[in-house]
Amino acid sequence: MSSPSLFDPIRLGAIHAPNRILMAPLTRGRGTQQHVPTPMMIDYYAQRASAGLIITEATGISQEGLGWPFAPGIWTDEMVEAWKPVTDAVHGKGGRIMIQLWHMGRIVHPDFLNGAPPVSASATTAPDMAHTYEGKKPYAEARPLEVSEIPRLLEDYAHATRNAMRAGFDGVQIHAANGYLIDEFLRDSSNLRTDEYGGSPENRVRLLREVTQVVVGEAGADRTAVRLSPNGETQGVIDSNPASVFGVAAQALDALGIAFLELREPGPGGTFGATDQPRQSPLIRQHFKGPLVLNSDYDKARAQADLDSGLADAIAFGRPFIANPDLPERLSLDAPLADSPMATWYSQGPEGYIDYPALAKTDA
């Protein structure tokens, strides 16, 4: 039996994707300063509806969890109403769209919290500088999340999930990667706790498991996904023995029967987060039996090779989707891919956002 191609359909829980080219989450900063989605976002996502599945930009579950200028949220009715035309437009083009739920943990600058410190697994400080509405500022030391606060955090995830389903999304992906809150609990460089949420891999996986259980309870396991970044350092977060913790995480997520698991795995030559830590996908593949989606610096050939080997079931492409709204068609035709200037990745206007033409219009 031959291996699937990138252009073959795949079932991701309740979602029937017509191809295996997923659109990875991409922060773009086109919401309002109050984190409400804007009409421009309707066009942006609708233009990319040919993806097997769109995973939206990371979207805040609460004000506590959102510290990126002009990033959208999903915790108020106004946000829900602003997301509805986005999902309607994608569905109108025959597409499927899942929202990524985000709590940024210690990456939230106090400017977003009326001066209060951010929360994290432990009292640590992120490296580099935070993006704020007043420019870049040093990160502040986080305060450890109290065990007594966990139920409130879980309710924030449940509330955001209910709102996402009200807004018409086909499912939700839990952002548990890239040095944000759940990742800060998972990895030992940022989790210095000695209670039931720290220490052993089983304890460090506890918050991920509890969040996923809550989301599954609201959306259904077949409409819930998770994103992990098991290898390398991201925003100061790394693990000294990733195989020990991510094997346990994969087992926990497999037991919950989620729709798919996505891994961001940069290599030694990666453009973002290059690392010599080995990819954990072969180990995770042993423990997670559902669809496995891989991401980071893929081109068509490497993507197909990982499908051929059985390592991946689908591939999530990120930056190529910025300047190539019709990426699946371009890949199928081996057409050249346009590049996107970094200067417009996070700017607020339509330039570099909704003005990239599809292939047919390019050739006209």
Side-chain angles (χ1 to χ4, degrees), residues 41-54:
M41 294 167 61
I42 302 169
D43 293 336
Y44 170 73
Y45 284 111
Q47 288 171 354
R48 288 153 181 81
S50 64
L53 169 66
I54 293 170

Side-chain angles (χ1 to χ4, degrees), residues 78-165:
E78 183 182 8
M79 294 167 181
V80 172
E81 292 305 313
W83 273 117
K84 284 180 178 179
V86 176
T87 60
D88 285 346
V90 171
H91 292 150
K93 290 283 191 73
R96 295 133 301 276
I97 184 167
M98 178 177 269
I99 193 170
Q100 188 187 60
L101 299 182
W102 202 19
H103 191 302
M104 295 174 64
R106 70 181 190 177
I107 304 299
V108 180
H109 191 272
D111 280 7
F112 293 90
L113 304 172
N114 294 317
V119 299
S120 184
S122 303
T124 61
T125 306
D128 304 320
M129 304 284 276
H131 294 270
T132 78
Y133 289 116
E134 298 174 357
K136 291 188 176 182
K137 297 184 179 183
Y139 286 107
E141 182 176 277
R143 68 170 182 85
L145 198 67
E146 300 287 343
V147 172
S148 61
E149 295 179 276
I150 300 290
R152 186 263 303 163
L153 175 69
L154 296 177
E155 176 51 33
D156 287 345
Y157 274 98
H159 177 68
T161 303
R162 289 192 294 272
N163 280 351
M165 303 315 286

